Amino acid sequence: MSGKQKVCYFYDSEVGNFYYGQGHPMKPHRIRMAHNLLLNYGLYKKMEIYRPMHAKYDEICRFHSEEYASFLKVITPDNMADHAKQLQRFNVGEDCPVFDGMYQFFQISAGGSIGGAVKLNRKQADIAINWAGGLHHAKKCEASGFCYVNDIVLSILELLKHHPRVLYIDI
């Protein structure tokens, strides 16, 4: 590859405000901390910074079942008692708790990853970064390992629109 590589970086300042709950190891405020390091070290000068579009319901349903995506859209800490069977069915509970604004958090996470894939597909970037992404444990019909929406699968599906194969390595 000749010349300078184009780097796109997706960040939404709201992402650090989400809270999985006391004692939970997933801490979205760490994404804000990483962003602040990027600013303080001047790394932002070497990339294009974008605020991710929120992934839409139909984009989430490109991988996840409509029933599961609909559940994620409506579940809140205030209505959990009304959805006890679905909580169990979709594996939402201890590792994957219900928290305020969780659907918006997934939309930001998935939106940044999909947006990065679009930039790569359009050759507007050589490298795409989304620190709010990488939530690859979510399954088609259930949450798993702190992950509810699998932004990695969604971004790979986007990449497959222009590329015959995609290699994903989790490091």
Side-chain angles (χ1 to χ4, degrees):
M1 181 173 282
S2 63
K4 188 176 174 182
Q5 290 189 320
K6 296 176 284 185
V7 178
C8 69
Y9 167 61
F10 287 83
Y11 178 73
D12 186 316
S13 60
E14 293 297 313
V15 78
N17 296 334
F18 298 100
Y19 182 60
Y20 273 58
Q22 187 164 349
H24 198 283
M26 180 66 158
K27 312 269 189 229
H29 76 273
R30 291 178 182 158
I31 300 164
R32 181 183 297 133
M33 292 168 62
H35 179 72
N36 287 334
L37 286 171
L38 185 132
L39 295 177
N40 290 324
Y41 281 103
L43 296 172
Y44 68 93
K45 296 173 188 173
K46 300 182 182 296
M47 57 185 73
E48 295 288 323
I49 301 176
Y50 299 95
R51 184 173 186 172
M53 299 291 292
H54 288 201
K56 295 178 181 75
Y57 175 81
D58 62 320
E59 291 175 307
I60 291 170
C61 290
R62 286 196 65 211
F63 172 66
H64 295 287
S65 72
E66 287 187 27
E67 189 175 10
Y68 175 61
S70 294
F71 165 75
L72 292 176
K73 198 171 183 180
V74 301
I75 192 69
T76 68
D78 296 331
N79 68 11
M80 287 174 52
D82 300 334
H83 298 279
K85 285 185 179 180
Q86 287 179 303
L87 287 167
Q88 186 175 10
R89 177 177 174 203
F90 296 128
N91 196 35
V92 175
E94 250 180 82
D95 276 355
C96 302
V98 175
F99 58 91
D100 287 323
M102 60 187 248
Y103 190 73
Q104 183 184 1
F105 177 70
F106 314 143
Q107 289 180 296
I108 292 169
S109 170
S113 297
I114 294 167
V118 168
K119 291 283 184 192
L120 294 169
N121 278 345
R122 293 181 179 165
K123 300 190 185 321
Q124 295 171 335
D126 302 304
I127 298 169
I129 300 170
N130 175 28
W131 296 129
L135 305 177
H136 63 279
H137 293 192
K139 299 174 183 167
K140 185 172 184 68
C141 298
E142 72 178 62
S144 180
F146 318 154
C147 307
Y148 306 76
V149 171
N150 196 321
D151 65 297
I152 297 301
V153 169
L154 296 174
S155 60
I156 288 171
L157 290 171
E158 184 64 36
L159 289 168
L160 288 170
K161 291 178 180 178
H162 294 265
H163 305 280
R165 295 182 301 178
V166 174
L167 173 64
Y168 171 71
I169 301 172
D170 179 20
I171 52 173

